[in-house]
Amino acid sequence: SMEVIDIQELEDVDEQRAEPFIIPIDGYIESKPQTFKEKYALASNLTVLTREDGLQYRRAMLSPEVSVPLNLRGNLFTANLKVQSDLYYLKNNFHSIARNNDYDTTEANYKPEASLSWRLPLIRKSTNNTLMIEPMANMVISSDYKGFTGIPNEDSNESELTVNNLFVADRISGLDRNETGQRGNYGVKSSFFNEYGEFALTVGQGYKVDGGNQDVEIRGFDDSNKSSIVGQMMYKAKKIFSIVYSFQLDESDYRNDLNQITTSFNFDRVKFSSNYLLIRKTLQNENEKEQLNLSSTVKLSNRWTVNVISTMDLVSDRTISRSLSIA
């Protein structure tokens, strides 16, 4: 497949010649379970950033990975080992724009990572309901690369700790930077099913034994080795209605610094959903953020569907975007 995307955040109003034209190529292949149910995988990436004026960036990445599962009396363990190798070719093509780096022409990076995860699904059934409780934990060790300042960062941004990425080995998106150091995460996932639907609660926390030398932050740790407490509560009534409340509680005083409420109604031909987000002012977040997104879909026929989407900034009391589409 091929897709062309114009990302507004990459535009430079003052220096348009410095805007990058990006060509990324990704590859991924995974084996079937082998003798001991282990799996082998190989991820690859080739990214080319071209600027009329500025840094010319080429990166080739290969990352072999092996994953070994183990079931020990209902305790589910998974050991994972991978190595990411990057090769950079950089060229300073600065003309009217002042050069802002001191990169070498070629750079190489080598980032091994090992992790061990554990979970224990506990299920109890009765005539009318089912209860599932699943404690979880994992440990991750990644190399602490000291020379990251000699490698450009074009695709890795600061990330937010959430219940969805709590047990992810590398929570930093992109490939130029990886989460480093020794760390662990623990939590519990629970679900209750009855005639009224599904009730669920997931809560957990991260701990950094050694945060390593990092220039990309993961918001949610502040100045403590312990992260904020992240969680999610959910109620789902069959296929008609669902509501999800995601939160982040400050580790010291349990204040809910981040709140997100997502709802959805699904009828025969009409779907409606909303997303409310509130991020309170903290040391890591200088300004309070409050947004509301509303969307609806109406199926007019088997061929035609109408979609209406609106996003509002409640702090400044303005509409960020509106869209109407017929497909």
Side-chain angles (χ1 to χ4, degrees), residues 120-124 131-135 188-191:
L120 178 62
L122 303 171
I123 302 175
R124 181 169 182 174
L131 174 65
M132 184 188 77
I133 299 177
E134 186 177 10
V188 62
K189 179 181 179 181
S190 60
S191 297

Side-chain angles (χ1 to χ4, degrees), residues 23-39:
I23 302 177
I25 302 174
D26 289 297
Y28 184 81
I29 186 171
E30 185 180 72
S31 72
K32 294 181 179 179
Q34 303 298 305
T35 307
F36 301 101
K37 296 184 179 181
E38 77 274 17
K39 288 184 179 182

Side-chain angles (χ1 to χ4, degrees), residues 111-301:
K111 293 171 283 192
E113 174 190 280
S115 65
L116 177 65
S117 64
W118 164 82
R119 59 191 182 94
L120 178 62
L122 303 171
I123 302 175
R124 181 169 182 174
K125 293 185 177 181
S126 66
T127 305
N128 299 319
N129 53 61
T130 300
L131 174 65
M132 184 188 77
I133 299 177
E134 186 177 10
M136 300 176 290
N138 74 336
M139 294 186 63
V140 186
I141 301 175
S142 301
S143 66
D144 183 10
Y145 181 63
K146 303 295 184 181
F148 60 83
T149 54
I151 294 176
N153 181 7
E154 294 280 1
D155 68 356
S156 299
N157 298 317
E158 295 181 0
S159 61
E160 187 83 36
L161 181 69
T162 69
V163 71
N164 295 318
N165 65 14
L166 178 64
F167 294 98
V168 175
D170 186 2
R171 290 180 284 241
I172 296 178
S173 62
L175 298 173
D176 285 330
R177 298 292 185 268
N178 297 73
E179 192 172 355
T180 62
Q182 304 172 32
R183 53 202 182 274
N185 309 283
Y186 43 86
V188 62
K189 179 181 179 181
S190 60
S191 297
F192 181 73
F193 303 86
N194 62 16
E195 59 180 323
Y196 300 106
E198 177 186 358
F199 303 82
L201 172 64
T202 303
V203 64
Q205 189 175 36
Y207 183 82
K208 292 193 295 186
V209 180
D210 175 16
N213 196 5
Q214 197 91 45
D215 67 332
V216 180
E217 291 186 3
I218 299 175
R219 292 184 296 269
F221 278 92
D222 296 329
D223 296 327
S224 172
N225 282 0
K226 290 183 179 180
S227 76
S228 299
I229 299 171
V230 294
Q232 186 178 87
M233 292 187 290
M234 183 195 72
Y235 170 64
K236 183 184 296 184
K238 306 300 180 182
K239 297 181 180 180
I240 299 175
F241 171 73
S242 68
I243 181 169
V244 179
Y245 171 52
S246 303
F247 57 87
Q248 187 181 110
L249 307 180
D250 187 272
E251 189 272 331
S252 58
D253 59 7
Y254 303 108
R255 190 182 77 153
N256 55 335
D257 290 334
L258 188 147
N259 305 269
Q260 186 175 24
I261 301 174
T262 303
T263 61
S264 67
F265 296 86
N266 189 355
F267 301 102
D268 184 26
R269 289 183 174 273
V270 179
K271 296 180 182 179
F272 176 79
S273 63
S274 67
N275 187 298
Y276 171 77
L277 175 65
L278 171 63
I279 303 177
R280 301 185 189 276
K281 183 178 179 179
T282 62
L283 293 176
Q284 289 184 317
N285 183 51
E286 296 180 355
N287 300 307
E288 182 174 288
K289 299 177 182 179
E290 189 175 10
Q291 290 185 1
L292 176 64
N293 177 273
L294 302 173
S295 65
S296 60
T297 301
V298 180
K299 188 176 181 181
L300 300 177
S301 66

Side-chain angles (χ1 to χ4, degrees), residues 51-160:
R51 296 177 173 92
E52 292 184 46
D53 197 345
L55 179 68
Q56 308 301 309
Y57 168 103
R58 313 285 189 272
R59 181 193 64 213
M61 184 278 291
L62 281 177
S63 180
E65 182 177 1
V66 58
S67 179
V68 183
L70 175 64
N71 186 340
L72 186 61
R73 294 187 177 182
N75 292 272
L76 305 180
F77 295 91
T78 302
N80 189 276
L81 177 65
K82 74 173 184 177
V83 178
Q84 179 180 321
S85 300
D86 305 313
L87 180 62
Y88 291 85
Y89 176 74
L90 309 170
K91 182 180 179 181
N92 290 297
N93 186 38
F94 292 90
H95 301 294
S96 60
I97 300 175
R99 179 173 171 174
N100 56 3
N101 67 73
D102 191 27
Y103 301 135
D104 293 333
T105 303
T106 58
E107 285 284 355
N109 203 359
Y110 174 78
K111 293 171 283 192
E113 174 190 280
S115 65
L116 177 65
S117 64
W118 164 82
R119 59 191 182 94
L120 178 62
L122 303 171
I123 302 175
R124 181 169 182 174
K125 293 185 177 181
S126 66
T127 305
N128 299 319
N129 53 61
T130 300
L131 174 65
M132 184 188 77
I133 299 177
E134 186 177 10
M136 300 176 290
N138 74 336
M139 294 186 63
V140 186
I141 301 175
S142 301
S143 66
D144 183 10
Y145 181 63
K146 303 295 184 181
F148 60 83
T149 54
I151 294 176
N153 181 7
E154 294 280 1
D155 68 356
S156 299
N157 298 317
E158 295 181 0
S159 61
E160 187 83 36

Side-chain angles (χ1 to χ4, degrees), residues 282-327:
T282 62
L283 293 176
Q284 289 184 317
N285 183 51
E286 296 180 355
N287 300 307
E288 182 174 288
K289 299 177 182 179
E290 189 175 10
Q291 290 185 1
L292 176 64
N293 177 273
L294 302 173
S295 65
S296 60
T297 301
V298 180
K299 188 176 181 181
L300 300 177
S301 66
N302 292 333
R303 291 178 176 269
W304 296 100
T305 302
V306 177
N307 297 285
V308 181
I309 303 174
S310 178
T311 302
M312 292 163 281
D313 186 335
L314 302 181
V315 175
S316 61
D317 193 23
R318 67 185 181 92
T319 299
I320 299 175
S321 66
R322 294 191 189 98
S323 67
L324 171 65
S325 63
I326 301 176

